[in-house]
Amino acid sequence: MSPQDRFSFARLNAMIVKEFVQIRRDTLTFGMMVGIPLLQLLLFGFAINSDPKHLPTAVRDADHGTMGRAVVAAMQASKYFEITVLPETEAEVETILAEGQAQFVVTVPVDFSRRVLRGERPALLVEADATDPAATANALNALEKLAGGAVSRDLVGPFAGLRQGAAPFDLRVHRRYNPEGETAFNIVPGLMGVVLTMTMVIMTCLAVTRERERGTMEALLAMPLKPIEVMLGKILPYIVIGYIQVVFIMVTAKLVFAVPMVGSLWLLSVVTVIFITANLAVGFTFSTIAANQLQAVEMGFFFFLPSILLSGFMFPFRGMPAWAQVMGEILPLTHFLRIVRGILLKGNGAGEILSDLGALLAFLVVVCSVAIRRYRMTLD
Amino acid sequence: MTAAISVTGLTKRFSGRTVVDAIDLDVAEGQIMGFLGPNGSGKTTTIRMLCGLLRVDAGEGTCLGLDIREQTAAIKRQAGYMTQRFSLYEDMTVLENLDFTARVHGVPERRARVAEAVERMGLGDRGKQLAGQLSGGWKQRLALAACILHKPRLLLLDEPTAGVDPQARRDFWDRIHDFAADGMTVLVSTHYMDEAERCHAIAYIAYGRLVARGTVEQVTAASGLSAAAVRGHGGPGLVDRLKALPSVETTTSFGTVIHVAGHDGAALSADLETLAEQGVLTWVPEAPNLEDAFIHLMAGSHDNFAGTAS
Ligand SMILES: Nc1ncnc2c1ncn2[C@@H]1O[C@H](COP(=O)(O)OP(=O)(O)OP(=O)(O)O)[C@@H](O)[C@H]1O
Ligand SMILES: [Mg+2]
């Protein structure tokens, strides 16, 4: 064996130095190397709370008596429930649940207090939006425990006898939209948004950087093409690809997971186009910033990570701290998840999804204008 | 005759470094203008500014009567630019590439025109081949085919014949003359002297500055060089001996003949005559060629550059 064939620390060292020089030049990659673990730490450490508290709760009190108020007060004291709305009618209750304004609706029926005192064990209805079972499970457990104790303080004097035996009223919990608390019902439609976010962003991300890297950008720019033409030309083909993914996921959802599809699939397809386009526009914007394909992929990943963690896909949205919720509200996936779950599980129509749809459209407009502005018509 | 290209003071800086320095260029319509200069002298950069691919830092002018700063979109529609580096899609076939270009330019009767271009460039049996799999010379032909599809009035060719075999180069230039005969204006950069000699006029750029301009005869005459053809009578080291002569600035060997050139014609004759009398060589005076002129120009501009730097 000649000496040149042997392992050389000098050569190894040369390689290491070279790599460091390159890493230092590529500030974005360097930033990512630091940023991603940091982000994960922050998100997993602080943002993620699978035991969400202070869930918005609506109370429809038709009784206006002491017993109903006692139950509500006990619920609030448990920290799981926070009374945010006081609907008057049955119709209002429906809207509140469909639009997701509240996670729970407590209905105290007429004559509730009097019937408790008579020992008739009246029903107290708690409707839960169970599209995301993880968000409601702990709260409902707590509710079962506190329900009995809640009114006992008020059962004094001649009514003290009612404290014994079964609870003085009948707590009825309706898990709406997802009665069995099937997590798959929540996750599978959500997965559609996640897959689209990941693939769509990456695909357009690469589109422009590839041109630049392969030198084809020069010929492209020498042609009479407008930025918007280039952008749309890069986006539209992928909408088709996105749609193929959607069909695939929907078929799987139906056949494998038996996910209910209550609402209009037409409405869903319209929303899906908007969502896909928004993600493609994000990718295009990234590609106008990234210097090469690797950077573009990294940026796509950088967008994907908060999307999956803060959108309510992986963890209940309401379990996140306020700052994380604000971040989540910006992300298109958050709104898309609400819309998909709303349409598929709740049977929401155009009216109920309007605010989330508006947020998606606003996102799309902002990102597109950034992309157009960033897209350079010259090589410098 | 109207000017197809007319620019003055064209300047480009890259992060503070002046790469193209106040270039004035006029190309008459229907003319073939050769654009020469050493590597890194700013040819590509100049061409890119002319067709709106790079922003102009200073200077102004027109291409086809259109302002090079403001009307780049219109220039792009009427000019064909063949890049130095192959810039068509390697993962698309010859026909797909041409079809794409034709579509972008909105060429009427697209299919017919693409077929015609394929025929004209002799790409016929390669239509279905991926552009990336073509050999270098064929890539060049494809690139030329793509940039003339929309019948541009101005052709900007950046080293179109680099790496092309002599026969193909000859065909290439015949075609360029055909285009010019049809009224197309051609600005073509090259490193080949024989190609420069086939141009109506040439512009020589060094270190970002235009240092010579005119017909081949004008440029060689302006260099003020004298030259001679030298034939040696055996014995090694003749080239070295010639180079050592103070009157000889350049030597070029062509087999048994050595071409020498220098500024001081009288001194050159005297020096060569001395050696001839010693029986070392025979010589005859000869016209200086373009290469002599360029080597001289390059040396001169290098001195200027060094002079300003110190
Ligand atoms: N995008 C850029 N950024 C920074 N410097 C550049 C850029 N493009 C070109 N340059 C520099 O400008 C100078 C001129 O380059 P240019 O490509 O115009 O030369 P050229 O005459 O075409 O050379 P060649 O004969 O090798 O093709 C070079 O020094 C080059 O390094
Ligand atoms: Mg060049």
Side-chain angles (χ1 to χ4, degrees):
Chain A
M1 201 162 72
S2 72
Q4 284 93 342
D5 289 335
R6 237 175 281 138
F7 181 79
S8 148
F9 278 103
R11 283 200 297 260
L12 175 64
N13 192 43
M15 275 303 296
I16 292 169
V17 171
K18 168 199 152 282
E19 292 300 318
F20 272 120
V21 169
Q22 288 181 316
I23 289 168
R24 217 185 49 225
R25 295 275 148 71
D26 196 350
T27 43
L28 187 79
T29 307
F30 191 64
M32 289 285 177
M33 283 183 202
V34 182
I36 289 173
L38 199 69
L39 196 66
Q40 277 179 325
L41 258 176
L42 283 175
L43 296 180
F44 281 107
F46 303 112
I48 309 313
N49 176 4
S50 52
D51 185 18
K53 302 230 166 85
H54 305 288
L55 296 168
T57 304
V59 174
R60 181 171 159 245
D61 191 355
D63 174 45
H64 302 291
T66 50
M67 295 301 166
R69 253 176 261 143
V71 175
V72 170
M75 284 172 72
Q76 240 168 330
S78 78
K79 301 269 197 302
Y80 277 106
F81 306 92
E82 191 166 313
I83 315 300
T84 50
V85 250
L86 298 167
E88 299 283 335
T89 64
E90 190 67 33
E92 275 177 75
V93 167
E94 278 308 310
T95 320
I96 285 167
L97 279 174
E99 289 181 357
Q101 288 178 35
Q103 193 95 34
F104 301 97
V105 178
V106 180
T107 304
V108 185
V110 182
D111 279 348
F112 179 73
S113 302
R114 200 168 343 134
R115 291 176 63 199
V116 167
L117 295 180
R118 282 198 208 129
E120 288 177 15
R121 299 197 72 240
L124 183 77
L125 179 65
V126 176
E127 289 165 284
D129 176 350
T131 42
D132 185 357
T136 49
N138 284 349
L140 288 176
N141 280 342
L143 183 62
E144 316 248 339
K145 286 197 204 96
L146 67 85
V151 293
S152 55
R153 246 180 302 117
D154 292 316
L155 296 171
V156 289
F159 307 111
L162 290 170
R163 288 186 196 177
Q164 270 86 53
F169 60 88
D170 180 17
L171 178 71
R172 283 193 203 149
V173 175
H174 285 186
R175 287 184 176 81
R176 297 285 302 271
Y177 312 122
N178 185 2
E180 275 88 49
E182 287 273 6
T183 29
F185 289 4
N186 180 51
I187 287 177
V188 174
L191 208 57
M192 185 155 93
V194 170
V195 169
L196 286 175
T197 303
M198 182 161 65
T199 54
M200 294 294 104
V201 171
I202 297 285
M203 277 184 207
T204 32
C205 231
L206 295 175
V208 178
T209 36
R210 194 182 298 129
E211 299 268 2
R212 211 171 295 133
E213 227 166 283
R214 295 192 184 165
T216 54
M217 199 66 180
E218 196 175 357
L220 196 68
L221 287 175
M223 288 195 244
L225 282 162
K226 289 187 170 39
I228 184 85
E229 295 160 350
V230 176
M231 183 167 120
L232 288 180
K234 298 260 179 207
I235 283 180
L236 294 177
Y238 294 110
I239 292 183
V240 177
I241 295 179
Y243 245 101
I244 295 170
Q245 293 183 327
V246 169
V247 170
F248 178 77
I249 295 170
M250 289 291 281
V251 169
T252 317
K254 183 90 201 164
L255 298 184
V256 181
F257 297 100
V259 172
M261 294 179 187
V262 186
S264 155
L265 291 184
W266 288 115
L267 182 62
L268 184 63
S269 14
V270 172
V271 175
T272 307
V273 175
I274 296 167
F275 177 67
I276 290 176
T277 314
N279 281 306
L280 291 172
V282 169
F284 191 89
T285 310
F286 285 169
S287 72
T288 61
I289 301 165
N292 55 50
Q293 295 189 53
L294 182 63
Q295 282 192 359
V297 172
E298 287 169 344
M299 291 170 88
F301 190 63
F302 200 72
F303 176 74
F304 178 64
L305 204 63
S307 285
I308 194 170
L309 295 176
L310 301 182
S311 62
F313 168 74
M314 220 172 220
F315 311 101
F317 194 77
R318 291 195 171 109
M320 305 191 304
W323 63 266
Q325 292 200 15
V326 170
M327 272 182 70
E329 289 288 350
I330 298 169
L331 300 167
L333 183 59
T334 307
H335 301 282
F336 183 66
L337 287 186
R338 289 184 197 152
I339 295 174
V340 175
R341 289 169 180 168
I343 292 176
L344 288 183
L345 305 181
K346 299 181 180 179
N348 279 354
E352 286 96 342
I353 64 166
L354 217 54
S355 68
D356 284 312
L357 193 60
L360 269 187
L361 283 170
F363 182 88
L364 180 63
V365 168
V366 169
V367 172
C368 280
S369 42
V370 171
I372 289 291
R373 210 171 270 239
R374 289 259 353 160
Y375 181 76
R376 290 263 152 270
M377 287 290 281
T378 52
L379 289 166
D380 56 346
Chain B
M1 245 198 287
T2 49
I5 298 176
S6 172
V7 292
T8 50
L10 201 62
T11 300
K12 182 72 195 175
R13 296 183 200 94
F14 285 120
S15 40
R17 200 163 65 94
T18 306
V19 161
V20 172
D21 195 358
I23 282 187
D24 302 340
L25 199 64
D26 286 283
V27 185
E29 218 164 87
Q31 209 180 32
I32 301 173
M33 166 73 92
F35 200 27
L36 293 100
N39 293 135
S41 54
K43 301 183 295 296
T44 301
T45 307
T46 306
I47 293 176
R48 283 175 175 169
M49 281 192 283
L50 291 176
C51 62
L53 284 185
L54 285 175
R55 270 172 299 199
V56 177
D57 286 330
E60 59 219 13
T62 57
C63 256
L64 302 167
L66 299 159
D67 190 282
I68 55 164
R69 285 167 177 271
E70 306 297 331
Q71 296 171 291
T72 51
I75 293 174
K76 285 175 185 179
R77 276 194 289 278
Q78 298 181 54
Y81 170 40
M82 179 171 162
T83 55
Q84 181 172 1
R85 181 182 159 191
F86 185 69
S87 59
L88 297 180
Y89 297 93
E90 303 220 330
D91 48 0
M92 278 166 45
T93 65
V94 168
L95 281 174
E96 286 164 349
N97 268 300
L98 291 174
D99 204 57
F100 169 69
T101 314
R103 278 176 203 269
V104 169
H105 281 287
V107 168
E109 292 159 35
R110 200 182 73 246
R111 278 169 209 286
R113 288 273 280 279
V114 168
E116 184 199 348
V118 165
E119 206 50 50
R120 206 164 167 184
M121 290 292 150
L123 286 161
D125 37 355
R126 286 179 170 78
K128 296 249 155 53
Q129 205 169 327
L130 288 182
Q133 290 170 357
L134 294 175
S135 73
W138 284 101
K139 277 185 183 160
Q140 300 292 83
R141 283 188 219 199
L142 170 58
L144 183 64
C147 73
I148 54 153
L149 260 181
H150 61 293
K151 297 209 161 75
R153 287 170 55 206
L154 172 66
L155 264 185
L156 301 165
L157 308 175
D158 198 356
E159 297 191 27
T161 56
V164 170
D165 69 59
Q167 180 60 45
R169 251 175 61 189
R170 186 173 282 274
D171 295 347
F172 223 98
W173 273 89
D174 287 345
R175 230 157 255 145
I176 288 176
H177 276 274
D178 290 345
F179 297 149
D182 292 346
M184 238 184 238
T185 309
V186 184
L187 178 69
V188 50
S189 80
T190 178
H191 289 295
Y192 296 113
M193 293 305 135
D194 60 322
E195 291 186 353
E197 281 165 1
R198 294 194 66 174
C199 296
H200 297 131
I202 55 171
Y204 189 86
I205 168 177
Y207 304 98
R209 301 221 182 109
L210 196 67
V211 290
R213 187 163 63 150
T215 63
V216 172
E217 292 74 28
Q218 285 169 342
V219 171
T220 42
S223 70
L225 290 169
S226 305
V230 175
R231 196 176 285 270
H233 298 314
L238 179 58
V239 173
D240 289 336
R241 281 183 76 176
L242 288 169
K243 273 186 178 159
L245 295 173
S247 60
V248 171
E249 285 166 36
T250 65
T251 61
T252 322
S253 301
F254 296 97
T256 54
V257 179
I258 304 166
H259 177 86
V260 297
H263 244 86
D264 191 339
L268 185 67
S269 314
D271 284 345
L272 289 175
E273 201 44 49
T274 314
L275 288 174
E277 277 162 15
Q278 290 168 14
V280 180
L281 52 77
T282 50
W283 69 282
V284 283
E286 202 174 40
N289 61 32
L290 207 49
E291 199 163 333
D292 299 329
F294 288 159
I295 290 170
H296 167 70
L297 284 170
M298 234 172 103
S301 51
H302 192 89
D303 286 344
N304 291 345
F305 199 74
T308 51
S310 60

